[in-house]
Amino acid sequence: MDKTLEQSMIKDLDFETTNAALFDFLDRSPVPFFAVRNMKEALEAAGFVQLLESERWDLRAGCAYYVTRNDSALIAFRIPGKEFTGFQIMASHCDSPVFKIKTNSEITVEKKYIKLNVEKYGGALYAPWLDRPLSVAGRVIAETEDGIETRLVNIDRDLLIIPNLAIHFNREVNDGYRFNLQKDLLPLLGEMSDHAAAGGGERETVDPGSRFLDLIAEEAGVRPAQILDADLYIYCRMKAAHVGLHNEYICSGRLDDLQCAFASLQGFLRAEPAESVAVHCVFDNEEVGSGSKQGAGGTFLYDTLHRINAAFGRTEEDYMRAVASSFLVSADNAHAVHPNHPDKSDPTNRPYMNRGIVIKYNASQRYVTDAVSASIFRSICRKAGVPFQTFANRSDMLGGSTLGQIALSQVSLNAVDIGLPQLAMHSPYETAGAKDTAYLIEAARVLFSGSVHSTGDGRYTLKFGE
Ligand code: ZN
C-alpha cells in the first residue's frame, strides 16, 4: 500500500464513531438470534422491506429488502435502478464458539448447589470461560392458541460462574490441564433453598417446573407451562472495550465474526449499487460446519439469488450469466502475528492488527482465494483507499477453514477469503485492531456499489465507481 494514499484515507475514517457503534452491536448480540434482530432493526430504520420465505416476492428495481431464516441467518439485498448484471456478495457468520444449555438442564449437588448441564458448541478456548460473570441468552418456543411462536431471551445480569478448582487441589494445573467437558465446565446457577432441598437429591434433574425455567419464562413473558422447548447458550458478560497505550486495540467476545458482519452491514448501508445487486449475507452455524438450513452449506443464498432473478421475470440462463459476472467476499476474521508467539505465523505473510484487511490464501482451497479473486479484491481495496495484507498458514501447520468454500458448493462463483486480523480467536474475549473495522466498511461499500463483468474466462471489467 502506498504510504501517502494510506495516510490520506485514514483521516477520513472515523474510527471512534465506528468502534462505539461496533461495541454497541457486540454487547447487544450475545447470540446469533440477537445479532440478526439488531441487523433487522438497522435495516428497518434504513427503509428495507422484510420478505418472508413463505410468501410471494414482488420485487422492484431500486428497492431494498431483507429475509431471515431460523431467526439466526439474514440476507439483505439492494436492487439497482436498472436491469442488473450480477451479484456483489459479502458473507460472514454470526455464531461463535460457546456452551449450549442442554434440555433437562438442572443438576443439584448435595442438596446445596444448582448447576447447569451444558455441552460445547464449536471449538472454544475453555480456560477463559472460568471465573468470570456469565449469563444466558437464546430463544424459547412458546405454545400459542394456534401453534408455536419464538421469543428471544437475554438474562441481562451476571447470573452464572464456572469456578476453577483451587490450585491446592491440583498443584500441577499450571503444567497443562485437560478439561473434562462434563465435569469442569458446568456453570453454577445458585443455592438450593432448604425447602427445595427437602425434595431434592444429587444429580436429580428438576425440569419441568425448575427454577431455571421459571427465570427464562419470566424473561420471555410467558408462563413456564407454555414453553415447549428452548435453544439457550451461556455468554461472557465482559463488555467490549479499548486497550493499549493509545487505545489501539479493541477487546470483546464474538469479534469472530461479528466484527466482519457489522462492517459488511455498515458498508452495505452506505453503498450505492449501480449495476449489480448488493447482497449482505450473514450465516449461522459456521463454527459447527455450516451444514444447517441457516448455514452456508444450506440453500439460503442459492434460494435467495434464484428468487431475486425470478422476481424480475428472468430465465435460468439469465441467472447463470449473472452468477458468472458476480463476486463473493467471504469475510471471516484472521490470525494476527501473536506478540508472545511470533513463530506461529508464516515467515512472509504476517498480518498485524491495524494494518488493514487480511487476504487469506491456502493452496488446498480451504480458503477460496486465488490469483483472480485476490486481484479483484486488491482492486477493491485500492479503490476504497484502505490498506490490506496477506495471510497463509505456516507450511507445517494446519489452519482453520471458513464458510467461503462451503458457500461455493451452493453458488459457484469467483470468491475471495478475507478477514480482520485478531488475537485469541475463539476465546470469549478476543482482541483486534481499533482501525480495521472502518477499513472493511469502506472496502464493503466499494464492493457493494460496484460490479464485476466477465468478458472471457479470466478477463473481467471491474466497475468500482469514480
Ligand atoms: Zn469465524
Side-chain angles (χ1 to χ4, degrees):
M1 165 72 38
D2 180 299
K3 260 261 151 353
T4 23
L5 177 57
E6 185 182 340
Q7 280 157 4
S8 74
M9 265 320 293
I10 286 169
K11 67 175 183 302
D12 297 325
L13 298 172
D14 188 342
F15 301 116
E16 213 170 297
T17 311
T18 299
N19 287 327
L22 172 65
F23 285 9
D24 181 58
F25 178 65
L26 290 163
D27 291 340
R28 291 193 298 118
S29 304
V31 293
F33 305 118
F34 283 91
V36 166
R37 175 191 275 183
N38 293 329
M39 287 189 285
K40 277 173 71 169
E41 281 175 9
L43 291 162
E44 296 270 351
F48 279 67
V49 175
Q50 181 171 18
L51 300 170
L52 297 177
E53 290 198 282
S54 56
E55 288 180 6
R56 187 185 168 79
W57 291 9
D58 291 313
L59 308 181
R60 284 213 304 255
C63 294
Y65 306 89
Y66 74 91
V67 57
T68 62
R69 185 178 278 190
N70 190 51
D71 286 322
S72 67
L74 177 144
I75 297 178
F77 54 91
R78 297 174 60 186
I79 314 284
K82 57 181 179 187
E83 177 116 0
F84 63 86
T85 57
F87 303 99
Q88 295 286 100
I89 308 162
M90 185 171 280
S92 53
H93 67 91
C94 58
D95 62 321
S96 311
V98 287
F99 295 94
K100 185 174 189 203
I101 298 172
K102 289 182 187 170
T103 194
N104 294 321
S105 58
E106 289 188 31
I107 297 174
T108 64
V109 182
E110 299 185 352
K111 300 183 180 176
K112 295 294 185 294
Y113 299 119
I114 307 167
K115 61 183 182 180
L116 295 181
N117 194 7
V118 299
E119 62 181 317
K120 78 181 179 101
Y121 173 91
L125 280 169
Y126 299 146
W129 282 91
L130 283 77
D131 300 335
R132 65 205 55 220
L134 307 170
S135 194
V136 175
R139 67 173 172 190
V140 300
I141 308 303
E143 195 169 26
T144 61
E145 283 197 347
D146 57 355
I148 58 172
E149 69 173 28
T150 299
R151 298 276 181 105
L152 301 197
V153 287
N154 175 13
I155 309 295
D156 190 13
R157 67 177 174 92
D158 300 339
L159 177 72
L160 304 170
I161 195 152
I162 307 173
N164 251 303
L165 185 64
I167 195 163
H168 313 83
F169 296 123
N170 183 4
R171 292 193 184 273
E172 290 80 43
V173 65
N174 290 331
D175 300 329
Y177 184 70
R178 190 181 180 84
F179 288 93
N180 180 315
L181 279 162
Q182 192 57 66
K183 190 170 180 66
D184 293 313
L185 293 159
L186 304 188
L188 177 63
L189 174 67
E191 284 185 352
M192 282 192 81
S193 66
D194 291 340
H195 177 71
E202 179 149 4
R203 294 206 165 272
E204 184 205 14
T205 57
V206 286
D207 289 334
S210 76
R211 286 134 292 203
F212 180 60
L213 197 70
D214 289 348
L215 177 73
I216 296 298
E218 190 186 338
E219 185 65 31
V222 298
R223 285 175 287 107
Q226 265 181 286
I227 297 182
L228 292 169
D229 215 322
D231 291 314
L232 300 168
Y233 302 84
I234 65 174
Y235 70 93
C236 176
R237 293 281 297 164
M238 288 168 74
K239 297 253 187 265
H242 279 98
V243 297
L245 195 55
H246 306 291
N247 286 329
E248 59 267 54
Y249 306 119
I250 57 171
C251 300
S252 174
R254 309 172 292 282
L255 285 171
D256 170 17
D257 188 30
L258 291 185
Q259 191 182 11
C260 285
F262 173 83
S264 174
L265 178 64
Q266 293 299 320
F268 177 76
L269 291 172
R270 291 167 205 199
E272 290 171 22
E275 296 185 358
S276 282
V277 180
V279 184
H280 162 74
C281 178
V282 182
F283 291 115
D284 191 8
N285 298 135
E286 193 276 341
E287 302 295 355
V288 292
S290 298
S292 63
K293 65 187 184 301
Q294 60 275 8
T299 58
F300 191 27
L301 180 61
Y302 175 89
D303 295 345
T304 303
L305 298 188
H306 262 91
R307 292 180 77 162
I308 296 170
N309 189 69
F312 288 93
R314 295 159 61 116
T315 63
E316 187 67 9
E317 168 79 4
D318 295 331
Y319 173 77
M320 298 294 188
R321 290 174 57 208
V323 169
S325 282
S326 296
F327 191 58
L328 182 142
V329 176
S330 162
D332 195 356
N333 272 3
H335 302 297
V337 172
H338 194 288
N340 297 340
H341 301 276
D343 53 307
K344 293 288 185 190
S345 295
D346 182 68
T348 60
N349 295 285
R350 305 179 66 76
Y352 297 96
M353 292 176 287
N354 292 316
R355 301 298 168 97
I357 303 161
V358 182
I359 305 173
K360 305 196 256 185
Y361 293 82
N362 179 258
S364 306
Q365 287 289 288
R366 288 169 74 87
Y367 304 133
V368 295
T369 311
D370 58 26
V372 169
S373 63
S375 298
I376 294 172
F377 192 73
R378 284 169 191 254
S379 302
I380 289 171
C381 290
R382 289 207 170 112
K383 188 74 207 175
V386 298
F388 54 88
Q389 43 190 341
T390 57
F391 173 88
N393 290 301
R394 279 179 62 108
S395 303
D396 53 4
M397 284 176 64
L398 256 184
S401 62
T402 72
L403 59 83
Q405 190 188 37
I406 296 165
L408 292 205
S409 65
Q410 291 292 340
V411 182
S412 301
L413 73 174
N414 277 317
V416 65
D417 259 300
I418 61 114
L420 296 177
Q422 71 158 95
L423 300 174
M425 191 177 284
H426 291 189
S427 166
Y429 209 61
E430 302 170 323
T431 298
K435 291 181 176 176
D436 297 313
T437 311
Y439 294 148
L440 184 55
I441 291 172
E442 196 49 26
R445 188 189 63 76
V446 171
L447 165 81
F448 289 129
S449 303
S451 52
V452 173
H453 297 283
S454 172
T455 55
D457 206 10
R459 273 187 82 84
Y460 299 89
T461 306
L462 308 180
K463 294 190 181 175
F464 295 122
E466 294 317 306

